[in-house]
Amino acid sequence: MSVLTSTASFIRLLFDARRSQSALEATITEKLKKVLVAAADVPRHREVMRQAGYDPRRDFGGLADLAIMPVMMKADLKCTPDAFLQVGASAHLHTYFSDRTSGSTGMPLTVYRASRERDIQIAKWMRVLILGGYRPTGKVNYFRTFGADDFQGASGAAWAKCMGFKKVYILDDRQLYGKGIADVFEKS
């Protein structure tokens, strides 16, 4: 991501915060139509739209159209991840940024974003940080101290090996967060 691109995305977000309600609603409606048209190229969404007799290119009416789309659950994504990829995207995943969820509610998921989407995501976080009091003065005052569960578990196992431990006793609270780290530790 270039500094120019991320700065431009951040400035657009600050500009959006000063727009009138009607101007924001018009922009949201326009962008929603683009999202729904793009979603028609994703197998799961295309099937849902087909069953509802809905084509966003022809039938788009506004925010109410979201009622056609079912709520996407993390379990759906885990069971059939390819059904959520835009047609032809799997051959190009190496060109996208990938982020992993922490796995605190189960196994971590990988989320792929195009560079433009990544720029917008970073700009939104910068806006949140700045509005929350962060001032980019060169002094670090915000950072995440723990990585995703799979990295924590593997790092813990590597540390135990490095320390020369031959046997370990693993305890977990049977909750998704603790169990996830313990399972990865045990496998490592």
Side-chain angles (χ1 to χ4, degrees):
M1 172 183 65
S2 73
V3 173
L4 181 62
T5 305
S6 60
T7 302
S9 294
F10 179 67
I11 290 169
R12 275 193 296 277
L13 286 170
L14 290 176
F15 175 74
D16 283 348
R18 293 187 170 91
R19 295 173 65 196
S20 71
Q21 185 68 29
S22 60
L24 282 174
E25 287 174 7
T27 300
I28 289 168
T29 301
E30 174 190 333
K31 289 184 179 192
L32 175 61
K33 181 173 183 178
K34 288 179 182 178
V35 167
L36 288 175
V37 168
D41 288 335
V42 175
R44 179 182 185 263
H45 302 320
R46 182 177 53 235
E47 180 58 22
V48 167
M49 290 176 189
R50 186 193 63 73
Q51 288 176 2
Y54 174 79
D55 181 344
R57 292 170 200 87
R58 176 191 70 220
D59 304 322
F60 181 78
L63 290 174
D65 292 6
L66 285 177
I68 294 166
M69 304 301 290
V71 173
M72 182 172 62
M73 305 300 287
K74 198 172 185 179
D76 299 333
L77 204 57
K78 287 181 185 178
C79 292
T80 56
D82 290 343
F84 291 92
L85 287 176
Q86 197 167 22
V87 173
S90 59
H92 305 286
L93 286 181
H94 65 281
T95 65
Y96 291 90
F97 288 93
S98 64
D99 291 317
R100 290 178 62 81
T101 62
S102 68
S104 61
T105 61
M107 290 304 294
L109 288 174
T110 301
V111 178
Y112 295 96
R113 292 183 177 88
S115 61
R116 175 84 174 114
E117 293 167 321
R118 179 74 171 158
D119 291 345
I120 292 170
Q121 177 193 27
I122 290 170
K124 285 179 183 177
W125 271 109
M126 287 302 297
R127 179 179 178 210
V128 167
L129 292 173
I130 288 172
L131 293 176
Y134 170 77
R135 298 295 179 257
T137 60
K139 182 178 178 184
V140 177
N141 61 8
Y142 173 84
F143 54 91
R144 181 178 175 165
T145 57
F146 297 101
D149 294 359
D150 51 345
F151 295 120
Q152 289 182 57
S155 295
W159 175 79
K161 287 177 189 171
C162 183
M163 295 299 292
F165 293 114
K166 302 291 182 208
K167 293 182 179 182
V168 294
Y169 190 79
I170 302 171
L171 295 174
D172 71 75
D173 59 3
R174 301 262 186 244
Q175 298 297 313
L176 289 174
Y177 175 72
K179 183 161 177 25
I181 292 176
D183 289 347
V184 172
F185 185 100
E186 185 175 15
K187 290 176 187 171
S188 300

